[in-house]
Amino acid sequence: MNRHARSRTTVYVAGALALLAAATGCTSGGDSGAASAALVPASGSPATAAPSRSAGPSPSASPTGGPAAGDAAAWAKWHLTPLPPAPPAPADKPVKLARTGPVPVFSEVKTSDKVVFVTIDDGAEKDPKFVEMLTDLKVPVSMFLTRDIVKDDYGYFKPLQALGNHIHNHTVDHAQMSKVPPEKQKSEICDAQAALTQQYGTPPLLFRPPYGDGANTPALNTAVQQCGPRAVVLWRESMQIHDMQYQAADKKLRAGDIVLAHFRGPKDLKGETMTQMFGELLARIQEQGFAVARLEDYIEAPAA
Ligand SMILES: [Zn+2]
Protein backbone atom coordinates (compact mmCIF):
# COMPACT_ATOMS: atom_id res chain seq x y z
CA MET A 1 0.00 0.00 0.00
CA ASN A 2 1.51 3.25 -1.04
CA ARG A 3 -0.22 5.59 1.25
CA HIS A 4 0.88 9.16 1.77
CA ALA A 5 2.48 9.73 -1.57
CA ARG A 6 3.15 13.33 -0.74
CA SER A 7 3.68 15.62 2.12
CA ARG A 8 3.87 19.30 2.38
CA THR A 9 5.58 21.84 4.49
CA THR A 10 3.14 24.36 5.69
CA VAL A 11 2.89 27.33 7.93
CA TYR A 12 0.66 27.80 10.89
CA VAL A 13 -1.60 30.29 9.24
CA ALA A 14 -4.91 28.73 8.43
CA GLY A 15 -5.75 28.61 4.81
CA ALA A 16 -2.37 29.78 3.72
CA LEU A 17 -1.43 28.09 0.52
CA ALA A 18 1.95 27.38 1.87
CA LEU A 19 5.23 26.49 0.45
CA LEU A 20 4.95 23.10 -1.06
CA ALA A 21 8.24 21.51 -0.23
CA ALA A 22 6.86 18.33 -1.59
CA ALA A 23 8.68 15.19 -0.81
CA THR A 24 7.64 11.74 -1.63
CA GLY A 25 6.69 10.20 1.63
CA CYS A 26 5.59 6.81 2.54
CA THR A 27 6.17 4.86 -0.56
CA SER A 28 6.91 1.31 0.33
CA GLY A 29 10.33 1.44 -1.25
CA GLY A 30 12.80 4.12 -0.42
CA ASP A 31 14.61 2.30 2.24
CA SER A 32 17.71 4.25 1.72
CA GLY A 33 19.56 3.68 4.77
CA ALA A 34 21.45 2.07 7.43
CA ALA A 35 21.95 -1.58 7.85
CA SER A 36 19.24 -3.42 9.62
CA ALA A 37 19.90 -4.34 13.17
CA ALA A 38 18.24 -7.26 14.77
CA LEU A 39 15.36 -5.60 16.49
CA VAL A 40 13.49 -8.48 17.89
CA PRO A 41 13.04 -8.89 21.58
CA ALA A 42 15.74 -10.97 23.12
CA SER A 43 14.42 -14.26 24.28
CA GLY A 44 15.07 -15.12 27.86
CA SER A 45 15.19 -11.54 29.00
CA PRO A 46 15.84 -11.28 32.68
CA ALA A 47 12.85 -10.80 34.84
CA THR A 48 13.89 -7.25 35.53
CA ALA A 49 13.33 -6.49 31.89
CA ALA A 50 9.75 -7.62 32.01
CA PRO A 51 7.46 -4.91 30.79
CA SER A 52 5.24 -3.12 33.18
CA ARG A 53 1.73 -4.23 32.42
CA SER A 54 0.11 -1.92 34.86
CA ALA A 55 -0.57 0.95 32.54
CA GLY A 56 -4.10 2.06 33.16
CA PRO A 57 -6.13 4.55 31.23
CA SER A 58 -4.20 7.51 32.57
CA PRO A 59 -1.30 8.84 30.53
CA SER A 60 2.10 7.81 31.75
CA ALA A 61 3.86 10.94 32.83
CA SER A 62 7.09 11.46 34.62
CA PRO A 63 7.12 13.56 37.78
CA THR A 64 8.41 16.46 35.77
CA GLY A 65 5.53 16.27 33.36
CA GLY A 66 7.17 14.84 30.27
CA PRO A 67 6.48 11.32 29.14
CA ALA A 68 8.20 8.73 31.28
CA ALA A 69 10.95 6.85 29.55
CA GLY A 70 11.16 3.13 29.74
CA ASP A 71 14.05 1.81 31.77
CA ALA A 72 17.40 0.74 30.38
CA ALA A 73 16.60 -2.94 30.62
CA ALA A 74 13.51 -2.41 28.52
CA TRP A 75 15.55 -0.72 25.80
CA ALA A 76 18.13 -3.49 25.97
CA LYS A 77 15.39 -6.06 25.51
CA TRP A 78 14.68 -4.49 22.12
CA HIS A 79 18.39 -4.10 21.31
CA LEU A 80 18.09 -0.33 21.37
CA THR A 81 20.00 2.52 22.92
CA PRO A 82 17.70 4.55 25.17
CA LEU A 83 16.55 7.89 23.91
CA PRO A 84 17.21 10.94 26.07
CA PRO A 85 14.26 11.63 28.36
CA ALA A 86 11.83 14.19 27.04
CA PRO A 87 11.85 17.53 28.86
CA PRO A 88 8.80 18.55 30.86
CA ALA A 89 5.82 19.48 28.79
CA PRO A 90 5.87 23.23 28.18
CA ALA A 91 3.48 25.19 30.36
CA ASP A 92 2.93 27.71 27.60
CA LYS A 93 1.94 25.56 24.64
CA PRO A 94 3.54 26.56 21.32
CA VAL A 95 0.37 25.60 19.46
CA LYS A 96 -2.90 27.08 20.69
CA LEU A 97 -6.06 25.89 19.03
CA ALA A 98 -9.23 27.92 18.80
CA ARG A 99 -12.68 26.47 19.35
CA THR A 100 -14.09 27.88 16.12
CA GLY A 101 -12.91 29.32 12.85
CA PRO A 102 -10.34 28.15 10.32
CA VAL A 103 -8.00 25.44 11.53
CA PRO A 104 -4.23 25.77 11.32
CA VAL A 105 -2.14 23.44 9.19
CA PHE A 106 1.28 22.49 10.49
CA SER A 107 4.05 19.96 9.99
CA GLU A 108 6.28 21.01 12.87
CA VAL A 109 5.95 22.64 16.26
CA LYS A 110 7.88 25.74 17.18
CA THR A 111 10.03 24.73 20.12
CA SER A 112 13.64 24.93 21.18
CA ASP A 113 13.32 21.64 23.07
CA LYS A 114 15.43 18.97 21.43
CA VAL A 115 12.42 16.82 20.69
CA VAL A 116 10.57 15.36 17.76
CA PHE A 117 7.06 13.95 17.63
CA VAL A 118 6.15 10.54 16.26
CA THR A 119 2.87 9.95 14.49
CA ILE A 120 1.65 6.60 13.16
CA ASP A 121 -0.99 6.38 10.47
CA ASP A 122 -3.72 4.24 8.98
CA GLY A 123 -3.77 1.21 11.29
CA ALA A 124 -3.39 -1.70 8.90
CA GLU A 125 -0.83 -3.73 10.83
CA LYS A 126 -2.01 -4.83 14.26
CA ASP A 127 1.07 -6.53 15.65
CA PRO A 128 0.79 -7.48 19.34
CA LYS A 129 4.57 -7.18 19.60
CA PHE A 130 4.26 -3.47 18.90
CA VAL A 131 1.96 -3.04 21.87
CA GLU A 132 4.56 -4.86 23.95
CA MET A 133 7.28 -2.60 22.57
CA LEU A 134 5.51 0.65 23.38
CA THR A 135 4.51 -0.69 26.78
CA ASP A 136 8.18 -1.40 27.45
CA LEU A 137 9.70 1.74 25.99
CA LYS A 138 6.95 4.25 26.75
CA VAL A 139 7.75 6.26 23.65
CA PRO A 140 4.81 8.60 23.06
CA VAL A 141 3.08 8.39 19.70
CA SER A 142 0.04 9.97 18.13
CA MET A 143 -2.15 7.72 16.01
CA PHE A 144 -4.04 8.92 12.94
CA LEU A 145 -6.48 6.10 12.24
CA THR A 146 -8.54 5.40 9.14
CA ARG A 147 -11.93 4.01 10.11
CA ASP A 148 -12.26 1.31 7.50
CA ILE A 149 -8.70 0.13 8.11
CA VAL A 150 -9.16 -0.28 11.86
CA LYS A 151 -12.83 -1.20 12.16
CA ASP A 152 -12.15 -4.94 12.06
CA ASP A 153 -10.22 -4.56 15.30
CA TYR A 154 -10.75 -1.27 17.08
CA GLY A 155 -9.63 -3.02 20.24
CA TYR A 156 -6.05 -3.37 19.07
CA PHE A 157 -5.44 0.33 19.59
CA LYS A 158 -6.96 0.55 23.05
CA PRO A 159 -3.88 -0.63 24.97
CA LEU A 160 -1.85 1.90 23.00
CA GLN A 161 -4.37 4.58 23.96
CA ALA A 162 -4.19 3.39 27.58
CA LEU A 163 -0.47 4.21 27.55
CA GLY A 164 -1.47 7.85 27.13
CA ASN A 165 -1.33 7.99 23.35
CA HIS A 166 -3.98 9.99 21.54
CA ILE A 167 -6.08 8.88 18.58
CA HIS A 168 -6.78 11.27 15.73
CA ASN A 169 -8.77 11.34 12.51
CA HIS A 170 -7.44 10.04 9.18
CA THR A 171 -10.71 9.70 7.21
CA VAL A 172 -13.15 6.87 6.62
CA ASP A 173 -11.44 5.08 3.76
CA HIS A 174 -8.25 6.96 2.98
CA ALA A 175 -9.71 9.05 0.18
CA GLN A 176 -7.54 11.48 -1.72
CA MET A 177 -9.36 14.55 -0.55
CA SER A 178 -8.67 16.96 -3.41
CA LYS A 179 -10.20 14.42 -5.79
CA VAL A 180 -13.58 14.25 -4.08
CA PRO A 181 -16.28 16.93 -3.79
CA PRO A 182 -16.71 18.99 -0.63
CA GLU A 183 -19.67 16.97 0.66
CA LYS A 184 -17.64 13.77 0.34
CA GLN A 185 -14.70 15.39 2.12
CA LYS A 186 -17.08 16.25 4.93
CA SER A 187 -18.42 12.71 5.24
CA GLU A 188 -14.88 11.28 5.13
CA ILE A 189 -13.97 13.36 8.15
CA CYS A 190 -17.26 13.51 10.04
CA ASP A 191 -18.05 9.79 9.78
CA ALA A 192 -14.55 8.86 10.94
CA GLN A 193 -14.84 11.41 13.75
CA ALA A 194 -18.08 9.81 14.94
CA ALA A 195 -16.73 6.26 14.81
CA LEU A 196 -13.44 7.09 16.52
CA THR A 197 -15.23 9.11 19.19
CA GLN A 198 -17.59 6.25 19.88
CA GLN A 199 -14.82 3.68 20.03
CA TYR A 200 -12.19 5.59 21.94
CA GLY A 201 -14.29 7.90 24.07
CA THR A 202 -12.73 11.20 23.04
CA PRO A 203 -13.33 13.25 19.90
CA PRO A 204 -10.13 13.39 17.83
CA LEU A 205 -8.52 16.81 18.14
CA LEU A 206 -6.40 16.56 15.00
CA PHE A 207 -6.94 15.56 11.39
CA ARG A 208 -4.48 14.36 8.78
CA PRO A 209 -5.55 14.04 5.14
CA PRO A 210 -4.26 10.94 3.34
CA TYR A 211 -1.05 11.71 1.44
CA GLY A 212 -1.21 15.21 2.90
CA ASP A 213 -3.41 15.91 -0.07
CA GLY A 214 -5.64 18.96 -0.07
CA ALA A 215 -4.36 20.11 3.31
CA ASN A 216 -4.29 23.75 2.35
CA THR A 217 -7.50 23.92 0.37
CA PRO A 218 -10.47 25.93 1.64
CA ALA A 219 -12.77 22.95 1.03
CA LEU A 220 -10.77 20.69 3.30
CA ASN A 221 -10.41 23.35 5.96
CA THR A 222 -14.16 23.90 5.94
CA ALA A 223 -14.85 20.18 6.17
CA VAL A 224 -12.49 19.83 9.14
CA GLN A 225 -14.21 22.73 10.88
CA GLN A 226 -17.60 21.11 10.34
CA CYS A 227 -16.51 17.79 11.80
CA GLY A 228 -14.67 18.72 14.97
CA PRO A 229 -10.89 18.39 14.66
CA ARG A 230 -9.16 21.70 15.32
CA ALA A 231 -5.95 21.37 13.33
CA VAL A 232 -4.55 19.67 10.24
CA VAL A 233 -1.26 17.96 11.00
CA LEU A 234 1.29 17.04 8.33
CA TRP A 235 4.90 15.96 8.77
CA ARG A 236 8.56 16.79 8.10
CA GLU A 237 10.00 13.28 7.92
CA SER A 238 8.52 10.03 6.73
CA MET A 239 9.83 6.72 8.06
CA GLN A 240 10.40 4.09 5.41
CA ILE A 241 11.88 0.73 6.41
CA HIS A 242 15.37 1.50 7.67
CA ASP A 243 15.65 5.23 7.28
CA MET A 244 13.63 8.38 7.19
CA GLN A 245 12.82 10.41 4.18
CA TYR A 246 13.57 14.04 5.01
CA GLN A 247 12.09 17.14 3.47
CA ALA A 248 15.09 19.14 4.65
CA ALA A 249 17.96 19.08 2.18
CA ASP A 250 20.50 18.29 4.90
CA LYS A 251 18.55 15.20 5.94
CA LYS A 252 18.62 16.11 9.59
CA LEU A 253 15.95 16.26 12.23
CA ARG A 254 15.12 19.65 13.68
CA ALA A 255 13.58 20.51 17.02
CA GLY A 256 9.82 20.22 16.82
CA ASP A 257 9.67 18.09 13.68
CA ILE A 258 6.71 15.81 13.25
CA VAL A 259 7.69 12.36 11.97
CA LEU A 260 5.31 10.15 10.04
CA ALA A 261 5.29 6.37 10.31
CA HIS A 262 2.66 3.75 9.55
CA PHE A 263 1.20 0.67 11.12
CA ARG A 264 2.78 -1.68 8.58
CA GLY A 265 3.88 -5.26 8.57
CA PRO A 266 6.14 -7.55 6.55
CA LYS A 267 4.01 -7.36 3.41
CA ASP A 268 4.67 -3.62 3.14
CA LEU A 269 8.13 -3.61 4.72
CA LYS A 270 9.94 -6.10 2.52
CA GLY A 271 9.68 -8.74 5.19
CA GLU A 272 10.52 -6.58 8.18
CA THR A 273 8.14 -6.32 11.07
CA MET A 274 6.45 -3.32 12.61
CA THR A 275 8.73 -3.53 15.63
CA GLN A 276 11.85 -3.76 13.48
CA MET A 277 10.77 -0.69 11.52
CA PHE A 278 9.91 1.18 14.70
CA GLY A 279 13.22 0.21 16.27
CA GLU A 280 14.99 1.64 13.25
CA LEU A 281 12.95 4.81 13.58
CA LEU A 282 13.99 5.18 17.21
CA ALA A 283 17.62 4.50 16.30
CA ARG A 284 17.58 7.28 13.70
CA ILE A 285 16.18 9.67 16.33
CA GLN A 286 18.65 8.50 18.98
CA GLU A 287 21.62 8.92 16.66
CA GLN A 288 20.70 12.55 16.20
CA GLY A 289 20.33 13.16 19.90
CA PHE A 290 16.63 13.87 20.04
CA ALA A 291 14.03 12.84 22.54
CA VAL A 292 10.50 11.94 21.55
CA ALA A 293 7.89 14.13 23.18
CA ARG A 294 4.15 13.82 23.16
CA LEU A 295 2.68 16.03 20.46
CA GLU A 296 -0.44 16.77 22.48
CA ASP A 297 1.75 18.12 25.32
CA TYR A 298 2.72 20.95 22.98
CA ILE A 299 -0.81 21.76 21.88
CA GLU A 300 -3.36 23.72 23.85
CA ALA A 301 -6.78 22.34 23.04
CA PRO A 302 -9.63 24.82 22.83
CA ALA A 303 -11.38 25.66 26.05
CA ALA A 304 -14.51 23.56 26.28
ZN1 LIG B 1 -2.54 7.34 5.49
Side-chain angles (χ1 to χ4, degrees), residues 2-4 26 121-123 144 146 149 170-171 174 208-212 235 260-262 264:
N2 291 344
R3 304 188 185 281
H4 291 297
C26 283
D121 281 16
D122 302 351
F144 289 81
T146 300
I149 297 176
H170 194 46
T171 75
H174 216 264
R208 174 175 282 160
Y211 322 102
W235 60 91
L260 166 67
H262 291 85
R264 282 180 175 157

Side-chain angles (χ1 to χ4, degrees), residues 26-51:
C26 283
T27 51
S28 59
D31 87 79
S32 53
S36 171
L39 289 167
V40 293
S43 56
S45 296
T48 52

Side-chain angles (χ1 to χ4, degrees), residues 125 127 241 264-274 276:
E125 179 73 359
D127 182 350
I241 301 175
R264 282 180 175 157
K267 188 167 69 68
D268 291 313
L269 298 175
K270 298 183 178 175
E272 304 241 350
T273 63
M274 176 80 189
Q276 288 175 312

Side-chain angles (χ1 to χ4, degrees), residues 12-66:
Y12 288 94
V13 182
L17 285 170
L19 26 157
L20 302 179
T24 27
C26 283
T27 51
S28 59
D31 87 79
S32 53
S36 171
L39 289 167
V40 293
S43 56
S45 296
T48 52
S52 163
R53 298 288 184 188
S54 61
S58 60
S60 57
S62 70
T64 50

